[in-house]
Amino acid sequence: MKRHGRVLVVEDERSFADALADGLRADGFEVETAEDGLLGLDAGLSRSFDVIVLDLMLPGLSGLDVCARLRRAGVEAPVLVLTARDGELDQLRALRIGADDYLTKPFSYRVLLARLHVLLRRSGPRRSDVLAAGDLVLDRVARRCRRAGTDIELTPREFALLELLLSRAGQVVSKRFALDEVWDPAIPLQSNVLEVYVAYLRRKVDLPFGRHAIGTVRGSGYRLDPGGG
């Protein structure tokens, strides 16, 4: 069987962690588990992993603290946060301190597996921390967006979509690819969620500045002007 990579699962619910680890091993991953935040931090600092699955509610040390300390120590492995809290504030805090994605419990194993594969595709060579198109600048580390020197507040999903478009500035990003990368591979192509969020972004990063950076390529998807529009 093809090996997909090494995964660290930091989860204090033992039965859940074991079931998740068994599933990932059956799907070709090498898996190590840790049952509290301190053990998870030690594993993440002392050994190399291709992706880390990290619960937020952990004994010993919270998932947010684990993630923050890993990033401060220079650990670059993608982090997928698991949370029982369905609140945007928790998601935003996790993303701001360095998490790459999140899932709210309960979730489908197939969705988690798809998210892990997306993170593995994104990892590899070190990405630039700052993306720019003209005067539109996105700081991946600080989770900050600016245009013409003005800060722009973005939701986590808006940030992820703009990050995708900026990382492929000048290229057409198909609707299917955007849905897979920013939302969920299970979302049907007929959904209008991408169109809604593109409209949100245009109202925040284009219209107030008299720009038209995010263009529609009819029948194909969207393209961000590398010059900033």
Side-chain angles (χ1 to χ4, degrees):
M1 177 185 294
K2 180 181 177 182
R3 308 308 294 181
H4 295 300
R6 299 190 70 230
V7 180
L8 171 63
V9 176
V10 188
E11 167 62 62
D12 64 316
E13 293 183 33
R14 192 72 242 174
S15 59
F16 177 81
D18 289 344
L20 180 56
D22 288 344
L24 291 173
R25 291 186 183 107
D27 281 308
F29 291 90
E30 296 178 35
V31 184
E32 181 174 331
T33 62
E35 61 188 20
D36 64 44
L38 291 172
L39 290 173
L41 178 62
D42 180 68
L45 292 175
S46 60
R47 293 180 287 285
S48 176
F49 296 94
D50 297 296
V51 64
I52 298 171
V53 178
L54 178 65
D55 188 38
L56 283 187
M57 301 290 288
L58 293 169
L61 195 65
S62 75
L64 289 174
D65 287 333
V66 172
C67 185
R69 294 190 189 189
L70 289 174
R71 292 303 186 233
R72 286 199 297 269
V75 176
E76 298 180 0
V79 174
L80 173 63
V81 163
L82 305 180
T83 175
R85 303 167 176 170
D86 189 14
E88 189 172 88
L89 180 59
D90 289 318
Q91 298 159 6
L92 183 58
R93 288 177 64 200
L95 293 171
R96 280 178 171 168
I97 64 174
D100 297 89
D101 200 357
Y102 60 86
L103 277 176
T104 302
K105 296 178 180 178
F107 54 82
S108 160
Y109 172 76
R110 290 178 59 192
V111 170
L112 179 137
L113 186 62
R115 295 285 185 88
L116 290 183
H117 282 295
V118 167
L119 291 176
L120 287 170
R121 289 201 303 270
R122 290 178 184 172
S123 62
R126 176 65 178 167
R127 306 175 302 170
S128 172
D129 289 336
V130 177
L131 297 171
D135 60 358
L136 177 60
V137 180
L138 199 73
D139 188 323
R140 286 167 148 159
V141 176
R143 308 300 294 182
R144 185 182 188 189
C145 178
R146 291 173 63 83
R147 172 147 242 178
T150 301
D151 285 326
I152 301 172
E153 288 293 327
L154 299 177
T155 67
R157 201 73 74 177
E158 290 166 351
F159 191 99
L161 177 57
L162 185 58
E163 180 182 14
L164 176 66
L165 293 171
L166 275 168
S167 69
R168 290 163 175 77
Q171 304 174 32
V172 177
V173 176
S174 72
K175 181 174 182 177
R176 181 68 270 164
F177 184 73
L179 289 174
D180 289 354
E181 294 286 303
V182 178
W183 281 273
D184 187 327
I187 293 180
L189 197 59
Q190 299 92 323
S191 168
N192 72 339
V193 65
L194 175 59
E195 288 79 3
V196 168
Y197 272 81
V198 167
Y200 290 162
L201 278 182
R202 284 171 171 159
R203 288 200 290 268
K204 290 186 175 184
V205 306
D206 273 350
L207 296 181
F209 303 91
R211 311 295 172 77
H212 302 279
I214 304 174
T216 301
V217 182
R218 294 194 179 279
S220 298
Y222 298 93
R223 175 183 175 274
L224 191 141
D225 183 351

